[in-house]
Amino acid sequence: MTAPNGTRALRGVSLALAGATLAAAAACTSIYEVPIDTPIQAKLDVTPFSRVHVVGFISGGAEDVDANMETVRLLRSQLRTKSRLRVIEADPLPLQQVARDQAKGPATPGRDAAPAQADVPAGMAFPEKILDEKDLEAYEPLFANAAYWKKIGEEFQQPLIVTGTVIFRPHQASGIVTQEREVYDNFGRRTVVPMRVYMERKGYILRPKLVFIDGRTGAVLYQESYREERLYPTQQNVPALSSFFEQMDAVLPSFLNTLSTTRVRGSRTMLK
Amino acid sequence: MITTRSLMLALTLVVSASAVATAQDARKQARPQVEFGITVAQRGLWQEAVFRWERAAEIDPTYAAAFNNLGIAYEQLGKFEQAGKAYEKALELEPQNLSIQQNFDLFKEINDRAKRNTSSSGS
């Protein structure tokens, strides 16, 4: 089947026109990719403070990771390099004991730095071990105890105090996941195709709540909770500590943005 | 009657032609400003780029590229409110422009995050 000469000629003209139009459009609209660094203001105004004290966390969950000590260490090291505040190097406070002492009342012998009784709701007992989020409820009044934090602030020249809770616990899940598989055809050509497979996976959940307290008044300035989760195939033996740091990595930018302006990198298209 | 109608038609044509010529003239004047703005922005001189693109937008208020570029520069300088307005104006002028739409979408993500920070700092 052949097209009549007129039709062929018309098609040729149409193609040429379309080509010319495309070329003209490309010539008219020039685009330029440009990298940008957008500043995101800090969540907290920390100008009144020259020092920061990461005092410790009430933590629980996995036994093979000391979430309190690891979080203290990590946040201090980050603040040392990425914040203008001077980091106070002191032993973390035994906050779990402090909270228990405060709940017993002022007559209870305990640390000197626990002067005021915290408002623990009646009937709320401290759990033997902190395993998950609900076990932390009894400790919550500690963070609202302004008298206690003011006293800590006085001891360390009224810094910005960073404290809170950290739960890092094992987690298991099974279900259908999408995986990418390499497939080779008869000619040895490689393609990657998505495949849905049933998998048993285990991993960890990280739930830190960071509380920022004014060391001059003992008042809570700001608090933020995070939730991270990482699951790995059962045959992949990922150490708990490695998963902890992997998940903390995701939390750190937001933590640092609380205290200092951060810049978000991206790119935009400029037009002529 | 026919003469009057012809005259009116001719007058309309002249006015339209001169309007088109004025618009083209404005674009011709604004374009070097936009181009120079791009050159300096690529070297990181964003304040100068803003000056050039604001000038271009003044000369030709229908120049979508000038407003789009202004949006980018304001974003880089952390002036989110102005950036939003510039992108909106660019999109109003060229609603089908995918580059502007993409820039605006990316900006909105950043702006939402900045807004969350602002509202949380007050708590």
Side-chain angles (χ1 to χ4, degrees), chain A residues 118-251:
Chain A
D119 299 326
V120 178
M124 189 169 282
F126 288 97
E128 192 78 3
K129 265 187 178 178
I130 299 173
L131 296 174
D132 57 24
E133 293 82 347
K134 68 176 187 303
D135 294 334
L136 292 170
E137 282 173 24
Y139 295 95
E140 283 299 326
L142 170 68
F143 304 114
N145 188 344
Y148 171 71
W149 295 113
K150 193 177 174 191
K151 184 117 198 270
I152 296 289
E154 280 163 7
E155 274 181 39
F156 292 96
Q157 297 169 15
Q158 301 175 326
L160 172 70
I161 296 169
V162 181
T163 182
T165 59
V166 183
I167 291 287
F168 179 68
R169 63 180 170 86
H171 179 58
Q172 280 197 345
S174 53
I176 303 289
V177 291
T178 305
Q179 280 190 330
E180 288 191 336
R181 290 264 170 92
E182 284 181 347
V183 177
Y184 292 88
D185 65 12
N186 295 338
F187 300 101
R189 287 176 300 203
R190 175 185 163 275
T191 47
V192 178
V193 290
M195 288 186 106
R196 289 166 64 76
V197 289
Y198 177 84
M199 269 184 86
E200 301 242 334
R201 295 185 300 164
K202 62 176 187 177
Y204 296 90
I205 289 175
L206 176 70
R207 296 215 60 175
K209 182 176 94 171
L210 305 179
V211 182
F212 298 84
I213 293 170
D214 187 335
R216 299 166 302 175
T217 61
V220 173
L221 293 173
Y222 175 69
Q223 61 181 41
E224 189 162 5
S225 300
Y226 305 88
R227 189 188 189 281
E228 293 292 326
E229 180 181 326
R230 295 288 184 283
L231 288 168
Y232 315 94
T234 38
Q235 63 271 27
Q236 192 182 332
N237 201 11
V238 177
L241 194 58
S242 145
S243 180
F244 175 82
F245 283 114
E246 189 186 333
Q247 296 185 53
M248 278 304 272
D249 255 2
V251 173

Side-chain angles (χ1 to χ4, degrees), chain A residues 28 31-32 34-44 221-222 257 262-264 267-272, chain B residues 34-35 38 41-42 53 63 65 68-69 72 75-76 78 80 97 100 103 106-107 110 113 117 120-121 123:
Chain A
C28 288
I31 58 169
Y32 301 85
V34 64
I36 66 164
D37 258 348
T38 312
I40 305 282
Q41 292 301 313
K43 297 171 205 171
L44 258 183
L221 293 173
Y222 175 69
N257 193 201
T262 53
R263 301 193 78 95
V264 178
S267 72
R268 300 287 184 272
T269 309
M270 295 190 291
L271 304 172
K272 193 150 87 177
Chain B
V34 166
E35 287 173 354
I38 290 172
Q42 284 171 327
W53 292 329
Y63 200 172
N68 169 73
N69 298 353
I72 298 170
E75 222 187 313
Q76 164 75 28
F80 294 113
N97 192 314
I100 301 175
N103 285 339
L106 291 168
F107 160 73
I110 301 272
R113 192 173 149 187
N117 278 12
S120 61
S121 65
S123 66

Side-chain angles (χ1 to χ4, degrees), chain A residues 43-63:
Chain A
K43 297 171 205 171
L44 258 183
D45 176 16
V46 294
T47 46
F49 305 100
S50 58
R51 293 146 64 88
V52 59
H53 189 6
V54 183
V55 296
F57 298 85
I58 291 179
S59 65
E63 284 187 350

Side-chain angles (χ1 to χ4, degrees), chain A residues 40, chain B residues 80 108-121:
Chain A
I40 305 282
Chain B
F80 294 113
K108 280 193 284 189
E109 272 177 43
I110 301 272
N111 191 38
D112 287 348
R113 192 173 149 187
K115 271 186 187 161
R116 279 201 301 274
N117 278 12
T118 316
S119 61
S120 61
S121 65

Side-chain angles (χ1 to χ4, degrees), chain A residues 8-30:
Chain A
R8 210 180 293 163
L10 200 64
R11 197 178 294 161
V13 170
S14 309
L15 276 172
L17 265 176
T21 312
L22 273 176
C28 288
T29 52
S30 307

Side-chain angles (χ1 to χ4, degrees), chain B residues 19-34 52-67 70 89 93-94:
Chain B
V20 169
T22 312
Q24 280 175 347
D25 196 37
R27 183 61 52 96
K28 209 173 165 185
Q29 280 181 46
R31 190 178 282 271
Q33 299 287 340
V34 166
R52 296 293 164 177
W53 292 329
E54 278 178 347
R55 184 91 191 84
E58 264 172 40
I59 296 167
D60 183 357
T62 64
Y63 200 172
F67 287 101
L70 263 177
K89 180 72 183 171
L93 293 167
E94 279 186 25

